[in-house]
Amino acid sequence: MKVILASPRGFCAGVNMAIDSLELALAEFGAPIYVYHEIVHNQYVVNHFRDRGVKFVNELDEAPEGATLLFSAHGVSPEVRRGARERRLHAIDATCPLVTKVHLEAIKYAKQGYTIFLIGHEGHDEVIGTMGEAPEAIVLVETPDQVDSLEVADESKLAYLTQTTLSVDDANRIIDRLRERFPGIHSPPKADICYATQNRQEAVALLSTEADLVLVLGSQNSSNSQRLAELARERGIDAHLIDGPQEIDVSWFNGVQTVLVTAGASAPETVVESCLDLLRDRFDATVEPRVIRKEEVTFPLPRELRSVAAARSESLVAGEPSA
């Protein structure tokens, strides 16, 4: 059996920044560190940190007053930020800068009196945070059919934004319908769907045509990972979204000669390697890496941690123990 190993895959710059932030906070402040919601939507990553004393909370009052609290990569609403200040929490903001970009766009359009259509999935942490920036101005749109029933007071002041982890094809279908119904609708100068989401989808779209089966490493609550599996299925190719090798069913591979393996933007490379090891052991698989696009994007640490990182780096250079 041949395995095509897609690249780019796995961690994006925003996920790397969030995980590095949590690692640094643990090293500097010690456990327990509290994180508002999951740091990223991946069970392997969440369990790894939970085992080291990180506590993931869904309500601010689950964190004791004065505790260190990290906001996840998906971002939070202004209401959550206010609540953290009121509880005197030492808040560290690890929101992905591309999510922050969407928040700022929402604020800008709302201040100008626009009605904003946010294309996204109800209940997703990122959508909740974005809608919290201007709840009176934002209307969530999940499907093209919803566009037909939208009612607005002033069609001359409309704009749309998108969740960063959507399927590019799904988002474009909704955007096309919005433009058909509201030709004057405004949009941000640069698309909101993040580079990593687009690149991983591009790799699946191009490489899945050579495969009989697609394995996507990622958790069920990871929006961008779900989209990768859906993209393959839309092309008539069997696809499975799995957290790791323990979820692989060997019956999937009956008659399969070529497998495409990829990973969502919040899935660590270690789970990819574990799955490749299983495929080598069980099916004598050969692995062929295929690079569709290079990624060299990095994001700075949250400002709350930059001085901490600099001090620890200086101590290492001086030969002092870091912790």
Side-chain angles (χ1 to χ4, degrees):
M1 191 168 71
K2 182 173 82 169
V3 173
I4 301 172
L5 182 59
S7 181
R9 66 180 178 277
F11 284 176
C12 61
V15 167
N16 274 322
M17 180 272 291
I19 289 175
D20 288 347
S21 298
L22 187 49
E23 290 279 8
L24 187 56
L26 267 174
E28 181 69 13
F29 307 116
I33 299 290
Y34 294 82
V35 179
Y36 189 73
H37 295 155
E38 295 182 348
I39 182 68
V40 295
H41 286 158
N42 184 269
Q43 290 308 302
Y44 182 94
V45 173
V46 168
N47 290 335
H48 166 76
F49 281 115
R50 187 176 281 128
D51 291 343
R52 295 170 60 195
V54 173
K55 298 183 182 297
F56 298 94
V57 300
N58 292 317
E59 302 294 339
L60 290 177
D61 59 11
E62 295 178 56
E65 288 196 10
T68 298
L69 176 75
L70 193 138
F71 297 140
S72 77
H74 309 103
V76 297
S77 68
E79 181 182 2
V80 171
R81 296 178 191 278
R82 282 194 297 271
R85 288 193 296 269
E86 290 169 1
R87 291 186 61 77
R88 299 193 302 277
L89 298 172
H90 175 211
I92 299 170
D93 188 358
T95 301
C96 172
L98 299 180
V99 174
T100 299
K101 165 185 173 288
V102 179
H103 283 221
L104 295 175
E105 289 164 347
I107 293 168
K108 179 192 74 172
Y109 282 126
K111 284 183 176 178
Q112 294 173 356
Y114 280 73
T115 296
I116 305 160
F117 297 132
L118 176 61
I119 302 169
H121 299 299
E122 185 175 9
H124 190 279
D125 290 341
E126 181 186 328
V127 166
I128 293 170
T130 302
M131 293 189 73
E133 295 287 1
E136 72 291 339
I138 299 179
V139 178
L140 182 63
V141 181
E142 296 188 271
T143 67
D145 290 342
Q146 282 182 262
V147 175
D148 298 334
S149 59
L150 293 173
E151 296 182 3
V152 294
D154 184 356
E155 293 191 7
S156 69
K157 303 204 83 173
L158 295 178
Y160 72 80
L161 303 173
T162 67
Q163 181 182 327
T164 63
T165 55
L166 293 180
S167 157
V168 175
D169 291 342
D170 288 349
N172 283 338
R173 280 190 279 270
I174 297 174
I175 291 168
D176 290 344
R177 187 75 69 89
L178 284 170
R179 291 196 179 282
E180 287 173 11
R181 183 160 178 216
F182 307 109
I185 194 168
H186 288 242
S187 63
K190 187 176 180 181
D192 291 329
I193 296 177
C194 86
Y195 78 94
T197 296
Q198 295 185 58
N199 291 349
R200 282 147 190 71
Q201 290 177 22
E202 179 188 32
V204 168
L206 292 174
L207 297 174
S208 61
T209 57
E210 303 177 37
D212 306 305
L213 177 75
V214 176
L215 290 182
V216 179
L217 277 299
S219 292
Q220 295 297 322
N221 62 339
S222 167
S223 179
N224 77 88
S225 300
Q226 287 278 7
R227 303 292 83 74
L228 296 177
E230 290 173 0
L231 195 61
R233 294 179 193 128
E234 287 171 2
R235 285 157 173 74
I237 302 155
D238 193 19
H240 299 277
L241 174 61
I242 57 174
D243 261 308
Q246 71 280 2
E247 296 183 4
I248 288 179
D249 184 338
V250 294
S251 69
W252 295 341
F253 303 91
N254 292 337
V256 168
Q257 293 184 322
T258 304
V259 178
L260 173 64
V261 173
T262 187
S266 50
E269 186 65 12
T270 183
V271 299
V272 176
E273 290 298 332
S274 296
C275 287
L276 294 178
D277 287 343
L278 183 148
L279 296 178
R280 291 187 185 102
D281 291 343
R282 293 299 298 267
F283 302 102
D284 194 27
T286 58
V287 178
E288 178 186 329
R290 297 281 289 277
V291 180
I292 298 301
R293 192 176 297 276
K294 295 280 190 180
E295 288 184 349
E296 298 177 344
V297 179
T298 59
F299 293 140
L301 288 166
R303 66 177 182 275
E304 300 92 348
L305 290 174
R306 291 172 197 168
S307 61
V308 172
R312 294 178 71 82
S313 178
E314 288 176 6
S315 69
L316 287 173
V317 170
E320 301 171 8
S322 60

